[in-house]
Amino acid sequence: MKTIVAKADPAHPDAEVIRKAAEILRAGGLVAFPTETVYGLGGNGLDDAACKKIYLAKGRPSDNPLILHISEREELGKIVREVSPAAKKLMDAFWPGPLTLVFPKADIVPEKATGGLDTVAVRFPSHPVARAIIRAAGLPVAAPSANSSGKPSPTRASHVEFDLAGKIDMIVDGGAAEWGLESTIVDVSGDIPMILRPGAVTKEMLEEAVGSVAVDPAILSKPEGDFRPKAPGMKYTHYAPKAEVWLVRGSREAVAACINRLAEAERKAGKVIGVMATAETEELYNADAVLSLGSREKLEEIGSNLFKTLRKFDFLGMDKVYAEVFPEEGEGMAIMNRLNKAAGYRAIDAEKKGEKA
Ligand code: TXA
Ligand code: MG
C-alpha cells in the first residue's frame, strides 16, 4: 500500500487535505493525524472491519480497546449509555483537551473497538487538525497512538512514517504534538472517578474539578499476578526502545557517579551506552550518547521530549540507556509511569552503591 503523506498547518488546515482524510475514513481506511497529545491512527470507530485494520497495522493485541474521538460534545450521546454528574464536571473542565473518559457503552459501539468490554473510552481532542478531520468524516474516530505496538508513541509525523508507512492509507503531518504524552484516562463508569493512565491533566487538576479521585494502584508499580491495570493496554510492554533501559534513583551526585562507573565498565566490554539526562545534569556524564530531556524546572518540557528521545536512542544504536528519575507528583506521575514501562520497571538505587532497587 502506498501511504499518502500531506501537510496540514494547525493554524489553517488545508481544506483539500482534510477532505481527503475524511473520505478515506468514511470508506473504511486508516489515517494518522496529529492531536495535542500524540499522533493517532484513525479509523471508523463504528465499523468492525476498520477497527480490525487498526489492530493489524499496529500489531496490537485484540483485547486492548481503542479510544473513540469526537469533534463535538453532542456526539457523546450516540456512543455512551450514561453520563454521571462527575463525568459532566470533568467534561466541563477539560474538554476539548487531553482527557479521555471511560463510560458505559451504547450498543452501536462494536466489540472490536472495546475489546469486548462493556465500557467505551471517549476523547474530545482540542487539536484543530484532529477536530477538522473528525468533523469532516462525521464519525466517531477510533484512534490509538499511531506507533507499532510496544514502541514509544509518535510525537512527529516522521515517527508515524517510520513505524507505519506502507501499512496505512494516509499520514496528515501537522507538526509536533504539543504535550508529547498520551491523554489522562479516567474511568467515570463507577461511583468514584478513577485514573487509569496519568497524563497532562494531573490528579491535582482532576481533584479541583470533581473532588476526590482514585488512582489505579498499578500505575506506578509493577503489575503482578492479580494486580492488573484496569486499562487493558497498560499491562503490555510499552514505550520500549531496543536498548535496555535502567532507571537510576538517588541524589544528583550519587546518580552521576553510579552511572559513570557502570557505563565505563560496560563500554570497556564493548557495549554502547546512553544516558537520558536533563539540562541541569547532562555535563556530569561520560557515555556514548548523553541526551537531555530538558529542564527539571519544566516538567512539561521533559514530558514532551520523552518519546522523541527514546526513539533517538534507538536511532543511535544504544545497547543500554541509563535514565534519571523525576518526582511522582503533578505531571511527574505521567512521566514516571511511562519511564517505568520503558524500563520494564528495572531500577538501580545509586545511594546503595548501585544495587538493584
Ligand atoms: O492521547 C491519547 O489518548 C492518544 C491520542 C491519539 O488520542 N491515544 C491513545 O490511544 O493513547 P491508545 O490506544 O494508545 O491507548 C488507549 C488506552 C489503552 O491503554 C487502553 O487499554 C485504554 O486506553 N482503554 C481503552 N478503552 C478502555 C476501556 N473501555 N476501559 C479501560 N481502558 C480502556
Ligand atoms: Mg498507545
Side-chain angles (χ1 to χ4, degrees):
M1 177 190 293
K2 171 138 178 44
T3 303
I4 305 167
V5 182
K7 282 204 190 314
D9 178 354
H12 310 278
D14 182 320
E16 183 48 33
V17 172
I18 301 296
R19 194 198 56 74
K20 181 72 193 164
E23 178 185 297
I24 292 171
L25 289 171
R26 275 199 305 274
L30 303 187
V31 177
F33 57 83
T35 83
E36 69 278 21
T37 57
V38 299
Y39 272 72
L41 175 59
N44 179 352
L46 300 182
D47 174 8
D48 242 13
C51 293
K52 209 164 161 183
K53 279 191 200 167
I54 293 179
Y55 286 97
L56 266 176
K58 283 183 56 100
R60 178 177 177 116
S62 63
D63 68 342
N64 186 4
L66 306 173
I67 296 174
L68 297 194
H69 293 63
I70 57 177
S71 62
E72 302 295 338
R73 217 167 131 155
E74 291 66 49
E75 291 160 40
L76 184 66
K78 293 181 213 147
I79 51 180
V80 310
R81 238 180 14 247
E82 195 191 313
V83 179
S84 68
K88 278 211 184 76
K89 282 187 195 158
L90 293 175
M91 287 157 54
D92 288 343
F94 302 110
W95 275 11
L99 175 68
T100 297
L101 296 173
V102 174
F103 299 91
K105 88 171 190 71
D107 291 340
I108 190 177
V109 180
E111 260 189 30
K112 263 271 164 290
T114 64
L117 295 176
D118 190 35
T119 51
V120 61
V122 184
R123 177 152 121 74
F124 178 0
S126 62
H127 196 291
V129 173
R131 285 180 73 172
I133 291 173
I134 301 162
R135 191 178 315 117
L139 304 158
V141 174
S145 49
N147 50 289
S148 294
S149 190
K151 289 286 152 201
S153 296
T155 58
R156 303 281 187 287
S158 59
H159 302 163
V160 182
E161 257 187 281
F162 187 83
D163 281 14
L164 299 177
K167 297 181 177 173
I168 62 177
D169 299 284
M170 184 175 188
I171 298 171
V172 179
D173 179 353
E178 187 192 345
W179 283 107
L181 296 178
E182 307 86 345
S183 61
T184 306
I185 303 180
V186 177
D187 185 349
V188 287
S189 67
D191 292 337
I192 298 176
M194 182 187 269
I195 303 176
L196 306 187
R197 181 175 72 184
V201 178
T202 62
K203 178 167 184 277
E204 293 77 4
M205 289 159 73
L206 293 164
E207 279 170 343
E208 202 176 309
V210 82
S212 73
V213 296
V215 181
D216 182 353
I219 278 178
L220 287 171
S221 23
K222 187 175 182 176
E224 270 165 320
D226 289 340
F227 183 51
R228 288 201 168 260
K230 293 189 176 50
M234 302 287 282
K235 72 175 180 275
Y236 293 107
T237 307
H238 219 156
Y239 318 120
K242 290 188 206 101
E244 192 176 289
V245 179
W246 284 83
L247 309 189
V248 186
R249 301 178 196 277
S251 70
R252 198 170 285 193
E253 296 70 28
V255 167
C258 172
I259 291 178
N260 285 337
R261 184 164 38 78
L262 292 169
E264 190 186 349
E266 284 162 335
R267 292 170 81 196
K268 272 191 189 137
K271 295 270 185 250
V272 186
I273 305 297
V275 178
M276 197 150 64
T278 51
E280 290 82 2
T281 59
E282 61 182 327
E283 299 294 327
L284 303 176
Y285 298 103
N286 297 309
D288 297 292
V290 180
L291 301 181
S292 166
L293 288 171
S295 169
R296 290 191 155 266
E297 303 294 317
K298 295 187 206 136
L299 281 183
E300 71 281 359
E301 185 176 316
I302 305 272
S304 85
N305 286 326
L306 179 61
F307 290 150
K308 182 178 78 175
T309 306
L310 286 170
R311 281 180 179 261
K312 186 147 184 206
F313 280 121
D314 261 2
F315 184 73
L316 295 173
M318 299 291 121
D319 293 309
K320 206 180 252 193
V321 171
Y322 291 105
E324 293 178 7
V325 299
F326 300 89
E328 287 174 0
E329 295 93 56
E331 282 135 344
M333 192 192 270
I335 294 167
M336 286 310 298
N337 168 261
R338 306 311 192 274
L339 268 177
N340 267 308
K341 291 179 73 67
Y345 300 90
R346 281 181 291 259
I348 295 170
D349 186 341
E351 306 287 343
K352 292 187 189 153
K353 298 212 166 55
E355 274 173 39
K356 287 184 188 172

